């Protein structure tokens, strides 16, 4: 929804697309690209690649519109259709009111563009839509309803609950706007993992999905300029302007159509909200069409006073209407490169946003950058897909390619406070986050001259990079005031010659959503102590010192010293002097080493602080709870309405279906004459009731009537189903009987009596199968005869379920013998030495012969021995079970 240009550098190490669910139970996460005009949703869930969520019309984007009419709330296309007839009840472009005071210039511009909305000031000083005498909607509540709808689309599409998301925001969003959006998400039941700047999301999308760079090129930097042009409140990076964007073009086209209407003798359309809404929709459609065509007709049926409107508009006329905008487009690029201090020279220009399709925009950009803008990304969905990738990297349960996202501060922040200097109060300003400082980041500011309670302000810093004409759109430059108390008490707790005050430190954090938070305020001091002071009362210390002396190599008792002196040969006086000097130096060094070293201990004392928001008061707990209940009631109403509509549709469909079927002979013969007449009468009465007073009945009444109809028709429908499915079931069991008979014939040749060398089956097994086939055949013949003697409206004797049961029993017997035949192995002769004689013994192949006790295999051995559970395969590094060669009992392992 904005024009954002940013020099964006991406390490190629993030350019390898990888997204794997590490946990089958990982929850799905979504991204929501919420603009002034459109909403797009991305999702990633276990086992499903990142994709765009389709709405109920199976479209990839949804108009950001909410409408209320006759107690029915609608969204998207349905809401747009309501807005043509009832503009006052249809809310759109309300994202542009988020986080703004009622006297904000953009709120005034909004009231001028949409005069049919009744906007009033709330207790917080923000704009509120008056829907009716009992209902009002804040911008946060309307945004929350859209976000909740996005959540619902994703849950319906993927069949699982959604609770976490990443939401894109225009880069120009200030602190108040970002906090308001997070409040709206909380009202919608969403946990925001991050508010990501739209151009940052586009950069991620470009880096992850569009760059074909090998992993070996990980040191390469890629510089991008992300150009995003659309929406009501455009902005440009480095220098900002809020009067350049797609909606501005639409408004100019609408004004052109109004003049054409008036020139042809039409009435005053400005006085008609419906006519103005129709003209706005047609101007938006015309703007898109003229991006691909040189001319097109604008036509509206029944614009005003039953008169139609039609006029030809050329692309040249459209470009002339916006001629002053094209030069500003190129100026944006030039100022952005200048703000990047030359690092953006030669950067690749990437277009995003629907309004960037305009040929005039392309031409203006091509001239200033000297090359064609990149068209390798989907301008509409790039931010959505980049944000959902970011969501996967932040959520638990997913593994993505390494992604280090650091954004830059566009609106610098400073701390302002007063300090007494020579008896005068001096205003001090300290920059906390300067322009283009990266975030997320923590910073600390120290106040080292204050000894009593004081306060400081957090404001926007000097905005020299923003034209003075645009400063008013930022709103109040004062963010908050922090009042500190208990300062002198904290200082008094830590005094002394060995205590050095380090000041009062305020800790701030700019989180990855670009929101500034005051973490805490504390007084810090350093206390210098020695080990001797620290341990002077310690008994352990004294004992340790004694032990140290006992075992010290440099300390000797007098007796030992005398002994050494006696053994030592006499030397010259000069040598003795040198030895004495060396001993003295050693003793001095030892004393220095043993001297306790000073230790510095950091002392911290929390300072009580109270932060007061100055620019726009956030929702209080009571206000949040009230808004939450309001949205909850709307959701309950929607749920009840959907349930009622579903019950009504189900009843209507069943009545029509029952009437059609009951008139068909194949259904009628499955019931008695009395049953058929009763059902016909009941269907006729229900149909008449539906189209008269029953159309306004409640859900329970519809469900009760549907249950009664099903109770009457189910016996007939069931019998019809049985008669229809029985022939196929009978054919299936006959086919199984034939196959079983063939298998039985083959199996009889694999017994000991029939073939001594292939005695796969026993006589008992053959008899069981033969008996089961005979029983099934006899049952089937008798059941068919009994069923054929009955009329179709009589109770069923040969049911499809009974046939399936018989087939299952027969199949179980056959499969048992088939599986046995698969695992059977023929016996084979082996040599066995006994009393120096060789005899041939027939043994099963699985048994181990003494000849293989030492690990040798027989000539006819076909399969390897089975591995016992205790044995482990040698996989390199794992413990392997060792078998001793002199232990033949384990040789079969």
């Amino acid at each position: 929804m904005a024009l954002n240009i940013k020099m964006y550098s991406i390490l190629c190490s993030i350019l390898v697309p990888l997204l794997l669910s590490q946990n089958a139970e990982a929850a799905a996460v979504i991204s929501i690209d919420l603009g002034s005009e459109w909403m797009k949703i991305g999702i990633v869930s276990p086992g499903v690649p990142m994709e765009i969520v389709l709405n109920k019309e199976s479209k990839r984007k949804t108009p950001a519109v909410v409408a209320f009419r006759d107690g029915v709330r609608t969204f998207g296309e349905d809401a747009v259709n309501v807005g043509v007839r009832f503009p006052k009840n249809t809310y759109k472009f309300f994202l542009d009111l988020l986080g703004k005071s009622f006297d904000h210039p953009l709120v005034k511009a909004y009231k001028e563009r949409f005069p049919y909305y009744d906007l009033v000031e709330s207790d917080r000083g923000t704009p509120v839509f008056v829907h009716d005498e009992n209902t009002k909607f804040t911008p946060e509540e309307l945004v929350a309803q859209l976000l909740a709808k996005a959540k619902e689309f994703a849950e319906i599409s993927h069949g699982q609950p959604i609770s976490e998301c990443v939401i894109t925001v225009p880069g120009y969003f200030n602190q108040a706007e970002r906090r308001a959006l997070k409040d709206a998400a909380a009202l919608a039941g969403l946990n925001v993992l991050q508010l990501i700047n739209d151009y940052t999301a586009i950069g991620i999308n470009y880096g992850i999905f569009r760059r074909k760079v090998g992993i070996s090129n990980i040191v390469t930097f890629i510089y991008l300029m992300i150009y995003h042009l659309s929406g009501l409140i455009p902005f440009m990076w480095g220098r900002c302007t809020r009067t350049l964007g797609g909606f501005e073009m639409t408004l100019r086209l609408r004004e052109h159509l109004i003049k054409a209407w008036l020139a042809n003798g039409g009435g005053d359309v400005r006085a008609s909200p419906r006519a103005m809404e129709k003209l706005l929709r047609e101007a938006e459609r015309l703007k898109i069409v003229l991006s691909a065509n040189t001319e097109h007709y604008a036509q509206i049926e029944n614009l005003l006073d039953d008169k139609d409107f039609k006029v030809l508009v050329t692309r040249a006329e459209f470009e002339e209407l916006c001629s002053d905008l094209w030069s500003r487009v190129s100026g944006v690029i030039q100022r952005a490169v200048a703000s990047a201090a030359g690092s953006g020279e030669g950067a690749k220009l990437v277009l995003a946003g629907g309004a960037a399709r305009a040929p005039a925009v392309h031409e203006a950009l091509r001239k200033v950058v000297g090359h064609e803008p990149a068209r390798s990304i989907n301008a509409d969905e790039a931010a959505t897909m980049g944000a959902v990738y970011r969501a996967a990297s932040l959520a638990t349960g997913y593994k993505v390619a390494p992604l280090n996202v650091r954004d830059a501060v566009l609106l610098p922040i400073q701390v302002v406070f007063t300090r007494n200097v020579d008896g005068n109060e001096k205003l001090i300003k300290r920059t906390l986050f300067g322009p283009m400082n990266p975030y997320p980041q923590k910073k600390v500011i120290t106040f080292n001259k204050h000894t009593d309670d004081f306060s400081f302000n957090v404001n926007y810093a000097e905005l020299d990079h923003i034209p003075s004409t645009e400063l008013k759109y930022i709103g109040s430059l004062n963010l908050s005031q922090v009042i500190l108390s208990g300062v002198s008490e904290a200082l008094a707790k830590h005094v002394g010659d060995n205590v050095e005050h380090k000041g009062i430190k305020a800790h701030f954090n700019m989180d990855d959503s670009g929101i500034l938070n005051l973490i805490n305020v504390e007084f810090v001091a350093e206390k210098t102590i020695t080990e001797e002071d620290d341990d002077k009362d310690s008994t352990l210390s004294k004992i340790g010192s004694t032990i140290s002396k006992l075992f010290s190599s440099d300390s000797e008792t007098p007796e030992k010293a005398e002994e050494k002196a006696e053994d030592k040969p006499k030397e010259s006086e000069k040598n003795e002097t040198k030895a004495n000097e060396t001993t003295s130096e050693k003793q001095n060094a030892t004393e220095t080493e043993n001297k306790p070293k000073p230790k510095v201990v950091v002392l911290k004392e929390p300072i009580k602080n109270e932060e007061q928001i100055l620019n726009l008061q956030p929702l209080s707990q009571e206000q949040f709870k009230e808004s939450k209940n309001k949205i909850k009631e709307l959701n309950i109403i929607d749920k009840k309405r959907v349930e009622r509509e579903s019950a009504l549709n189900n009843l209507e469909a069943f009545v029509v279906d029952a009437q059609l079927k009951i008139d068909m002979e194949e259904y009628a013969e499955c019931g008695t004459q009395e049953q058929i007449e009763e059902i016909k009468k009941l269907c006729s009465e229900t149909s008449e009731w539906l189209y008269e007073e029953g159309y306004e009945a409640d859900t329970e009444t519809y469900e009760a009537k549907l249950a009664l109809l099903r109770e009457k028709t189910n016996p007939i429908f069931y019998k019809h189903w049985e008669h229809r499915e029985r022939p196929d079931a009978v054919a299936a069991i006959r086919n199984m009987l034939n196959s079983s008979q063939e298998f039985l014939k083959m199996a009889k040749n694999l017994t000991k009596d029939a073939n001594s060398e292939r005695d796969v089956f026993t006589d008992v097994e053959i008899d069981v199968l033969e008996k089961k086939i005979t029983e099934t055949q006899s049952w089937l013949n008798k059941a068919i005869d009994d069923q054929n003697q009955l009329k179709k409206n009589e109770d069923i004797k040969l049911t499809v379920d009974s046939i399936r049961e018989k087939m299952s029993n027969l199949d179980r017997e056959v499969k048992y013998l088939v599986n046995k035949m698969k695992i059977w192995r023929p016996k084979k002769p082996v040599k066995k030495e006994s009393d120096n004689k060789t005899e041939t013994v027939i043994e099963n192949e699985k048994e181990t012969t003494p000849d293989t006790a030492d690990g040798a295999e027989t000539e006819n051995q076909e399969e390897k021995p089975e591995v016992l559970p205790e044995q482990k395969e040698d996989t390199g590094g794992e413990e392997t079970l060792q078998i001793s060669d002199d232990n033949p009992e384990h040789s079969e392992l």
Side-chain angles (χ1 to χ4, degrees):
M1 100 175 218
L3 167 62
N4 297 284
I5 301 180
K6 179 174 177 61
M7 295 300 169
Y8 200 87
S9 62
I10 307 174
L11 274 173
C12 292
S13 59
I14 72 170
L15 300 181
V16 183
L18 173 63
L19 179 58
L20 300 174
S21 172
Q22 295 295 94
N23 183 359
E25 301 299 325
V29 290
I30 61 174
S31 67
I32 304 175
D33 182 14
L34 183 61
S36 296
E37 194 170 0
W38 298 96
M39 175 178 68
K40 294 170 281 290
I41 309 131
I43 189 170
V44 58
S45 58
V48 179
M50 291 176 288
E51 60 184 1
I52 296 292
V53 175
L54 304 182
N55 59 21
K56 69 185 187 69
E57 291 91 9
S58 297
K59 294 184 178 180
R60 301 174 70 85
K61 63 180 182 179
T62 303
V65 184
V66 183
F68 300 85
R69 179 63 182 168
D70 297 332
V72 177
R73 181 177 58 162
T74 55
F75 297 87
E77 297 289 350
D78 293 338
V80 170
N81 295 331
V82 173
V84 175
R85 296 183 58 197
F86 308 100
K88 185 180 182 299
N89 297 340
T90 306
Y91 303 103
K92 56 187 177 181
F93 290 103
F94 45 77
L95 181 67
D96 305 313
L97 302 178
L98 200 63
K100 296 176 178 62
S101 60
F102 186 73
D103 58 355
H104 196 283
L106 293 174
V107 177
K108 295 179 180 178
Y110 188 92
K111 293 170 65 177
E112 293 175 359
R113 286 170 173 147
F114 305 104
Y116 40 81
Y117 290 136
D118 188 3
L119 276 174
V120 298
E121 186 174 5
S122 68
D123 296 336
R124 293 194 301 139
T126 59
V128 176
F129 291 93
V130 179
H131 182 67
D132 55 39
E133 56 184 9
N134 299 319
T135 309
K136 296 179 181 179
F137 292 113
T138 65
E140 289 90 343
E141 291 168 351
L142 292 174
V143 171
Q145 294 176 58
L146 268 183
L147 296 177
K149 198 63 180 178
K151 176 175 180 288
E152 180 185 323
F153 285 156
E155 291 175 339
I156 293 174
S157 174
H158 286 258
Q160 54 182 299
I162 306 292
S163 61
E164 295 182 327
C165 69
V166 168
I167 302 177
T168 67
V169 296
Y172 61 76
F173 256 30
N174 59 29
Q175 295 292 310
E177 291 167 319
R178 292 172 188 265
R179 291 183 188 276
L181 185 54
K182 291 198 75 171
D183 285 343
L187 289 174
L190 285 167
N191 174 36
V192 178
L193 300 174
Q194 181 182 351
L195 297 178
I196 187 170
N197 291 329
D198 48 12
Y199 48 74
T200 305
I202 295 167
I204 293 174
N205 174 265
Y206 184 89
I208 295 297
F209 299 107
R210 294 294 176 264
R211 292 290 299 177
K212 307 298 183 183
V213 180
I215 191 66
S216 60
N217 297 326
I218 59 175
V219 297
T220 303
F221 281 89
I222 305 166
Y223 291 95
L224 304 178
M225 285 191 291
I226 310 296
Y227 190 96
H228 190 193
L229 173 66
S230 64
L232 176 64
I233 314 172
F235 188 94
M236 71 181 182
W237 179 87
R239 302 275 183 175
C240 67
T241 173
R242 296 176 181 256
T243 55
L244 175 62
F247 190 66
E248 177 67 23
M249 300 176 192
T250 302
L251 291 174
R252 296 190 182 195
L253 265 179
R254 184 179 68 170
E255 189 65 26
H256 177 73
L257 297 180
I258 291 174
K259 292 179 180 179
W261 166 264
L262 295 176
N264 291 330
D268 184 11
V269 292
R270 300 182 193 277
S272 172
R274 289 188 181 181
M276 291 294 287
E277 184 65 22
K278 290 180 180 180
L279 286 167
L280 186 65
R281 289 189 63 186
E282 184 62 15
E284 178 65 26
R285 186 187 70 85
L286 192 63
K287 179 188 70 177
I288 297 173
V289 173
L290 289 177
S291 296
N293 299 273
T294 57
E295 61 181 24
H296 190 71
Y297 276 99
Q299 47 189 355
I300 304 173
E301 294 183 3
N302 190 18
L303 176 59
L304 186 67
D305 300 330
D306 296 329
K307 293 182 180 180
D308 298 337
F309 174 59
K310 184 176 182 179
V311 64
L312 179 66
V313 181
T314 66
R315 182 190 292 176
E317 290 176 327
F318 170 57
E319 292 179 351
E320 179 63 27
L321 291 172
C322 305
S323 58
D324 61 312
L325 301 181
W326 314 134
S327 59
R328 293 162 62 188
V329 166
S330 58
V332 168
I333 298 292
Q334 295 167 349
R335 288 189 292 269
V337 173
S339 298
S343 63
E345 294 291 345
K348 191 168 186 177
L349 180 64
V350 179
L351 298 184
R357 299 188 188 99
V361 173
H362 278 215
E363 182 61 22
L365 293 174
R366 188 188 63 78
K367 288 181 178 179
V368 71
V369 299
H371 61 78
E372 284 291 330
R375 304 179 186 221
S376 57
I377 66 171
N378 185 324
D380 275 340
E381 299 176 359
T384 312
M385 296 303 293
V388 77
Y389 189 91
R390 179 59 175 164
S393 69
L394 294 174
T396 56
Y398 297 94
K399 181 181 179 181
V400 302
L403 180 64
N404 184 16
V405 177
R406 300 288 298 264
D407 218 312
V409 174
L410 299 185
L411 300 177
I413 296 175
Q414 65 182 1
V415 171
V416 180
F417 59 95
T418 58
R419 190 170 64 195
N420 190 288
V421 179
D422 298 331
N424 298 319
E425 293 294 328
K426 184 179 180 182
L427 187 66
I428 309 296
K429 296 181 180 181
R430 292 288 182 268
T431 299
L432 192 61
F433 288 93
M436 301 310 297
N437 271 187
Y439 70 85
Q441 186 179 176
K442 293 180 180 180
K443 287 201 175 183
V444 179
I445 188 165
T446 302
F447 306 92
N448 49 20
K449 300 294 183 181
H450 292 79
T451 57
D452 293 315
D453 296 350
F454 68 100
S455 65
F456 62 87
N457 284 15
V458 180
N459 302 332
Y460 288 122
E462 287 78 5
L463 304 175
D464 297 336
H465 56 291
I466 299 177
S468 58
T469 56
E470 302 295 331
L471 285 176
K472 59 182 180 181
Y473 296 119
I474 296 176
S476 174
L477 301 183
N478 300 319
L479 298 179
S480 64
Q481 182 183 33
V482 180
I483 302 174
L484 306 183
S485 58
V487 174
S488 58
E489 291 83 352
L491 270 64
K493 286 184 180 180
H494 305 286
V495 293
D497 295 338
N498 59 342
V499 176
E500 182 182 1
H501 290 181
K502 293 297 182 180
I504 297 171
K505 298 182 180 294
H507 297 259
F508 292 89
N509 172 41
M510 178 80 76
D511 63 23
D512 53 7
S513 293
I515 297 177
L516 181 68
N517 302 286
L518 174 63
I519 303 174
N520 69 309
V521 182
E522 59 187 8
F523 165 71
V524 179
E526 289 183 356
K527 183 177 182 180
T528 304
I529 58 177
T530 63
E531 293 183 5
E532 183 180 88
D533 293 338
D534 194 28
D535 300 333
K536 62 183 179 181
D537 295 327
S538 172
T539 304
L540 281 175
S541 177
K542 293 178 181 178
I543 294 174
S545 177
T546 302
I547 294 173
S548 176
K549 289 179 180 179
L550 288 175
F551 291 94
S552 173
S553 60
D554 295 327
S555 301
E556 298 178 344
T557 62
E559 292 80 3
K560 290 185 178 180
E562 291 176 1
E563 290 176 0
K564 287 188 176 182
E566 291 176 357
D567 296 336
K568 183 178 179 181
K570 293 183 179 180
E571 299 180 7
S572 64
E573 185 178 348
K574 182 178 180 181
N575 292 338
E576 288 180 358
T577 304
K578 289 183 177 180
N580 291 335
E581 290 177 355
T582 302
T583 302
S584 177
E585 289 176 359
K586 287 185 177 180
Q587 290 177 350
N588 292 335
T590 303
E591 290 177 0
T592 302
E593 290 178 359
N594 293 334
K595 185 179 180 180
K597 295 180 180 180
K599 182 171 62 176
V600 178
V601 178
V602 178
L603 307 175
K604 296 182 179 181
E605 189 73 26
I607 301 295
K608 184 178 179 181
N609 62 86
E610 179 184 356
E611 185 177 16
Q612 298 178 352
I613 304 298
L614 299 179
N615 57 353
L616 186 70
Q617 292 299 319
L619 288 173
S620 65
Q621 290 186 352
E622 188 63 30
Q623 291 168 336
F624 182 88
K625 184 177 179 181
E626 181 181 349
S627 296
K628 186 79 173 178
N629 290 336
K630 185 188 299 184
I631 294 175
K632 184 177 179 180
E633 290 176 5
L634 291 172
N635 293 337
I636 292 174
I637 293 173
D638 284 352
K639 182 179 179 180
K640 290 182 177 180
R641 176 177 58 82
V642 171
E643 290 176 350
R644 180 187 171 278
E645 290 176 352
S646 178
L648 172 60
N649 293 336
N650 292 338
L651 180 59
E652 287 181 323
F654 193 87
V655 168
V656 174
D657 184 63
Q659 286 176 327
L660 291 174
K661 288 179 177 178
I662 216 67
D663 288 334
M664 300 170 63
E665 183 178 355
E666 58 181 293
Y667 283 92
E669 63 185 2
C670 295
T672 64
Q673 185 66 29
E674 292 77 10
Q675 288 177 315
I676 300 301
E677 292 299 328
E678 182 182 11
I679 292 173
K680 286 183 177 181
K681 181 181 179 182
L682 185 58
C683 287
S684 178
E685 291 176 351
T686 305
S687 181
E688 292 178 1
W689 175 80
L690 277 173
Y691 290 102
E692 293 177 3
E693 70 275 9
Y695 208 75
E696 300 296 330
D698 54 23
T699 304
E700 292 74 15
T701 303
Y702 294 139
E703 291 177 345
K705 287 188 174 294
L706 180 59
L708 179 60
L709 277 171
R710 284 178 172 165
E711 180 184 350
K712 298 297 182 182
T713 57
N714 277 349
I716 294 175
F717 292 169
Y718 167 71
K719 290 173 183 177
H720 174 269
W721 182 87
E722 284 283 353
H723 294 315
R724 186 187 65 193
E725 299 295 328
R726 188 184 304 113
D728 290 340
V730 170
I733 194 173
R734 288 190 187 279
N735 184 56
M736 176 175 279
L737 285 168
N738 293 335
S739 301
S740 301
Q741 289 284 5
E742 294 297 324
F743 178 78
L744 179 62
K745 291 178 183 179
M746 183 270 296
K748 286 181 178 180
N749 294 325
L750 299 178
T751 62
K752 187 174 183 179
D753 294 337
N755 189 343
S756 60
E757 294 183 357
R758 294 184 62 84
D759 55 341
V760 180
F761 307 118
T762 65
D763 293 338
V764 175
E765 292 170 339
I766 296 298
D767 291 343
V768 170
L769 177 58
E770 187 172 18
K771 184 179 179 181
K772 178 63 67 176
I773 294 174
T774 303
E775 288 179 354
T776 304
Q777 184 68 61
S778 300
W779 172 84
L780 180 62
N781 294 335
K782 185 178 183 304
I784 291 175
D785 291 341
D786 292 344
Q787 182 61 47
N788 289 339
Q789 294 176 12
L790 300 175
K791 295 181 180 180
K792 286 191 173 182
N793 59 13
E794 293 182 316
D795 292 339
I796 306 295
K797 286 191 175 181
L798 180 57
T799 64
V800 173
D801 285 343
S802 64
I803 296 175
R804 288 173 178 169
E805 183 180 358
K806 292 293 183 181
M807 291 177 68
S808 177
N809 294 336
L810 179 58
D811 183 61
R812 184 166 55 249
E813 295 296 334
V814 173
K815 281 185 177 178
Y816 169 76
L817 298 184
V818 171
N819 290 333
K820 185 177 182 182
M821 186 172 63
K822 287 180 179 179
I823 65 174
W824 181 86
R825 294 292 181 270
K827 299 174 182 178
K828 57 186 177 181
V830 295
K831 292 182 179 181
K832 180 178 180 182
E833 294 182 1
S834 178
D835 298 332
N836 298 324
K837 294 181 179 180
T838 301
E839 59 178 315
T840 300
V841 180
I842 305 299
E843 295 184 351
N844 288 335
E845 185 182 9
K846 290 184 179 179
E847 296 181 0
T848 305
T849 65
D851 292 335
T852 60
D854 58 354
E857 297 182 354
T858 61
E859 288 184 0
N860 297 328
Q861 189 172 359
E862 297 178 358
E863 293 190 352
K864 295 182 180 180
E866 294 183 358
V867 180
L868 295 184
E870 298 87 356
Q871 187 173 357
K872 296 181 181 179
E873 183 180 357
D874 188 1
T875 57
E878 295 186 2
E879 182 181 357
T880 304
L881 183 62
Q882 300 294 330
I883 305 300
S884 175
D885 290 339
D886 58 359
N887 187 357
E889 292 183 358
H890 293 89
S891 61
E892 62 180 302
L893 293 174

